[in-house]
Amino acid sequence: MTGEPRTFPECRVAPPAARLTTNGRRRVFRKTASRSGRNHKGEQKPMAGTVTMYSTTWCGYCRRLKGQMDREGIGYTEVNIEHDSDSAAFVEKANGGNQTVPTLLVVAPSGAETVMTNPSLAQVKQALAA
């Protein structure tokens, strides 16, 4: 059982197009994967120094990590995998066929790409520093 990705029960609640975060900023659920325009097919390389979080509205682990990153001032682009089949396929590929969230794609300023599943804030900071 060790080494297997964790999965969580599905909840199909339709999220609003946008919502306010706890600090009053508006977060829009995008259909693109990142600010750099990457479309999950590798046609464009994401910009260095970016974090893309693949999540769902009902995921408590996603909410926790988003709150921690907001408090630390770490910018990120959120992609709801329930609204974007390409991003869902990316998450499945990264997690052995499971739609496990949060899955993060971190591109460090050096250009090194790291894909992480349910990382801690310290792991995100470390990946951005690499």
Tab-separated table of all heavy atoms in Angstrom, residues 30-40 44-47 50-52 54 77 79 105:
chain	number	residue	atom	x	y	z
A	30	ARG	N	-9.741	29.160	-14.130
A	30	ARG	CA	-9.341	29.313	-15.514
A	30	ARG	C	-9.419	27.992	-16.253
A	30	ARG	O	-9.287	26.943	-15.670
A	30	ARG	CB	-7.904	29.825	-15.590
A	30	ARG	CG	-7.699	31.109	-14.845
A	30	ARG	CD	-6.232	31.468	-14.839
A	30	ARG	NE	-5.964	32.549	-13.928
A	30	ARG	CZ	-6.052	33.830	-14.237
A	30	ARG	NH1	-6.419	34.174	-15.436
A	30	ARG	NH2	-5.786	34.746	-13.359
A	31	LYS	N	-9.586	28.085	-17.555
A	31	LYS	CA	-9.573	26.887	-18.379
A	31	LYS	C	-8.199	26.630	-18.958
A	31	LYS	O	-7.955	25.598	-19.532
A	31	LYS	CB	-10.600	26.999	-19.488
A	31	LYS	CG	-12.001	26.956	-18.939
A	31	LYS	CD	-12.998	26.662	-19.996
A	31	LYS	CE	-14.352	26.485	-19.347
A	31	LYS	NZ	-15.335	26.030	-20.263
A	32	THR	N	-7.282	27.590	-18.805
A	32	THR	CA	-5.912	27.368	-19.239
A	32	THR	C	-5.105	26.856	-18.063
A	32	THR	O	-5.528	26.956	-16.923
A	32	THR	CB	-5.277	28.667	-19.764
A	32	THR	OG1	-5.306	29.624	-18.712
A	32	THR	CG2	-6.004	29.180	-20.983
A	33	ALA	N	-3.946	26.323	-18.341
A	33	ALA	CA	-3.160	25.693	-17.285
A	33	ALA	C	-2.326	26.670	-16.498
A	33	ALA	O	-2.063	26.454	-15.343
A	33	ALA	CB	-2.260	24.625	-17.878
A	34	SER	N	-1.853	27.734	-17.103
A	34	SER	CA	-0.988	28.647	-16.367
A	34	SER	C	-0.942	29.998	-17.051
A	34	SER	O	-1.433	30.175	-18.150
A	34	SER	CB	0.420	28.062	-16.273
A	34	SER	OG	1.025	28.075	-17.541
A	35	ARG	N	-0.285	30.934	-16.376
A	35	ARG	CA	-0.160	32.275	-16.938
A	35	ARG	C	0.616	32.249	-18.243
A	35	ARG	O	0.490	33.125	-19.058
A	35	ARG	CB	0.559	33.174	-15.946
A	35	ARG	CG	-0.261	33.466	-14.732
A	35	ARG	CD	0.512	34.395	-13.852
A	35	ARG	NE	1.654	33.704	-13.299
A	35	ARG	CZ	1.926	33.597	-12.028
A	35	ARG	NH1	1.139	34.165	-11.168
A	35	ARG	NH2	2.972	32.963	-11.593
A	36	SER	N	1.451	31.246	-18.424
A	36	SER	CA	2.290	31.210	-19.617
A	36	SER	C	1.556	30.670	-20.833
A	36	SER	O	2.095	30.675	-21.925
A	36	SER	CB	3.513	30.335	-19.356
A	36	SER	OG	3.099	29.002	-19.165
A	37	GLY	N	0.329	30.172	-20.665
A	37	GLY	CA	-0.441	29.677	-21.794
A	37	GLY	C	-0.196	28.211	-22.109
A	37	GLY	O	-0.645	27.728	-23.132
A	38	ARG	N	0.462	27.494	-21.237
A	38	ARG	CA	0.686	26.080	-21.474
A	38	ARG	C	-0.656	25.369	-21.539
A	38	ARG	O	-1.533	25.615	-20.733
A	38	ARG	CB	1.537	25.484	-20.359
A	38	ARG	CG	1.824	24.027	-20.594
A	38	ARG	CD	2.699	23.470	-19.514
A	38	ARG	NE	2.847	22.050	-19.752
A	38	ARG	CZ	3.759	21.319	-19.238
A	38	ARG	NH1	4.630	21.842	-18.419
A	38	ARG	NH2	3.825	20.045	-19.493
A	39	ASN	N	-0.802	24.448	-22.488
A	39	ASN	CA	-2.097	23.818	-22.679
A	39	ASN	C	-2.088	22.332	-22.360
A	39	ASN	O	-2.884	21.581	-22.884
A	39	ASN	CB	-2.587	24.047	-24.104
A	39	ASN	CG	-1.699	23.381	-25.119
A	39	ASN	OD1	-0.725	22.718	-24.773
A	39	ASN	ND2	-2.023	23.543	-26.380
A	40	HIS	N	-1.229	21.880	-21.504
A	40	HIS	CA	-1.145	20.493	-21.041
A	40	HIS	C	-0.672	19.523	-22.110
A	40	HIS	O	-0.630	18.340	-21.866
A	40	HIS	CB	-2.485	19.985	-20.498
A	40	HIS	CG	-3.059	20.867	-19.464
A	40	HIS	ND1	-2.556	20.934	-18.204
A	40	HIS	CD2	-4.063	21.759	-19.515
A	40	HIS	CE1	-3.244	21.805	-17.509
A	40	HIS	NE2	-4.157	22.321	-18.281
A	44	GLN	N	3.814	24.728	-25.137
A	44	GLN	CA	4.571	25.871	-24.666
A	44	GLN	C	5.148	25.536	-23.306
A	44	GLN	O	4.504	24.891	-22.490
A	44	GLN	CB	3.683	27.106	-24.508
A	44	GLN	CG	3.487	27.881	-25.766
A	44	GLN	CD	2.752	29.165	-25.457
A	44	GLN	OE1	1.747	29.153	-24.767
A	44	GLN	NE2	3.244	30.263	-25.972
A	45	LYS	N	6.352	26.001	-23.054
A	45	LYS	CA	6.978	25.780	-21.761
A	45	LYS	C	6.482	26.847	-20.790
A	45	LYS	O	6.412	28.023	-21.133
A	45	LYS	CB	8.489	25.861	-21.916
A	45	LYS	CG	9.236	25.451	-20.682
A	45	LYS	CD	10.706	25.339	-20.994
A	45	LYS	CE	11.467	24.992	-19.757
A	45	LYS	NZ	11.655	23.592	-19.580
A	46	PRO	N	6.105	26.467	-19.559
A	46	PRO	CA	5.631	27.454	-18.596
A	46	PRO	C	6.747	28.431	-18.213
A	46	PRO	O	7.918	28.109	-18.287
A	46	PRO	CB	5.188	26.632	-17.393
A	46	PRO	CG	5.546	25.244	-17.670
A	46	PRO	CD	6.065	25.128	-19.048
A	47	MET	N	6.350	29.606	-17.770
A	47	MET	CA	7.313	30.636	-17.392
A	47	MET	C	8.052	30.231	-16.122
A	47	MET	O	7.483	29.596	-15.235
A	47	MET	CB	6.584	31.961	-17.139
A	47	MET	CG	6.039	32.575	-18.386
A	47	MET	SD	5.026	34.069	-18.159
A	47	MET	CE	5.556	34.759	-16.640
A	50	THR	N	6.968	30.125	-11.711
A	50	THR	CA	5.509	30.038	-11.596
A	50	THR	C	5.080	28.775	-10.860
A	50	THR	O	5.777	27.774	-10.848
A	50	THR	CB	4.827	30.048	-12.977
A	50	THR	OG1	5.274	28.921	-13.724
A	50	THR	CG2	5.123	31.323	-13.735
A	51	VAL	N	3.904	28.869	-10.258
A	51	VAL	CA	3.277	27.723	-9.591
A	51	VAL	C	1.884	27.578	-10.177
A	51	VAL	O	1.121	28.544	-10.222
A	51	VAL	CB	3.176	27.930	-8.067
A	51	VAL	CG1	2.459	26.769	-7.405
A	51	VAL	CG2	4.548	28.134	-7.455
A	52	THR	N	1.563	26.379	-10.629
A	52	THR	CA	0.221	26.076	-11.107
A	52	THR	C	-0.351	25.007	-10.192
A	52	THR	O	0.257	23.948	-10.022
A	52	THR	CB	0.234	25.566	-12.556
A	52	THR	OG1	0.869	26.548	-13.382
A	52	THR	CG2	-1.177	25.330	-13.065
A	54	TYR	N	-3.375	22.441	-9.505
A	54	TYR	CA	-4.520	21.712	-10.033
A	54	TYR	C	-5.338	21.275	-8.829
A	54	TYR	O	-4.826	20.589	-7.945
A	54	TYR	CB	-4.059	20.520	-10.865
A	54	TYR	CG	-3.214	20.957	-12.039
A	54	TYR	CD1	-1.837	21.050	-11.938
A	54	TYR	CD2	-3.808	21.332	-13.238
A	54	TYR	CE1	-1.064	21.486	-13.008
A	54	TYR	CE2	-3.053	21.767	-14.315
A	54	TYR	CZ	-1.684	21.841	-14.193
A	54	TYR	OH	-0.929	22.283	-15.240
A	77	THR	N	-1.375	30.026	-10.061
A	77	THR	CA	-2.543	29.958	-10.926
A	77	THR	C	-3.294	28.697	-10.550
A	77	THR	O	-2.705	27.620	-10.479
A	77	THR	CB	-2.135	29.896	-12.410
A	77	THR	OG1	-1.402	31.076	-12.714
A	77	THR	CG2	-3.353	29.811	-13.307
A	79	VAL	N	-6.129	25.847	-11.309
A	79	VAL	CA	-6.866	25.215	-12.399
A	79	VAL	C	-7.784	24.169	-11.795
A	79	VAL	O	-7.324	23.250	-11.109
A	79	VAL	CB	-5.913	24.561	-13.426
A	79	VAL	CG1	-6.698	23.932	-14.552
A	79	VAL	CG2	-4.934	25.579	-13.976
A	105	LEU	N	2.410	22.071	-10.301
A	105	LEU	CA	3.501	22.154	-11.263
A	105	LEU	C	4.266	23.416	-10.902
A	105	LEU	O	3.738	24.529	-11.002
A	105	LEU	CB	2.974	22.250	-12.692
A	105	LEU	CG	4.020	22.555	-13.772
A	105	LEU	CD1	5.067	21.453	-13.848
A	105	LEU	CD2	3.361	22.740	-15.120
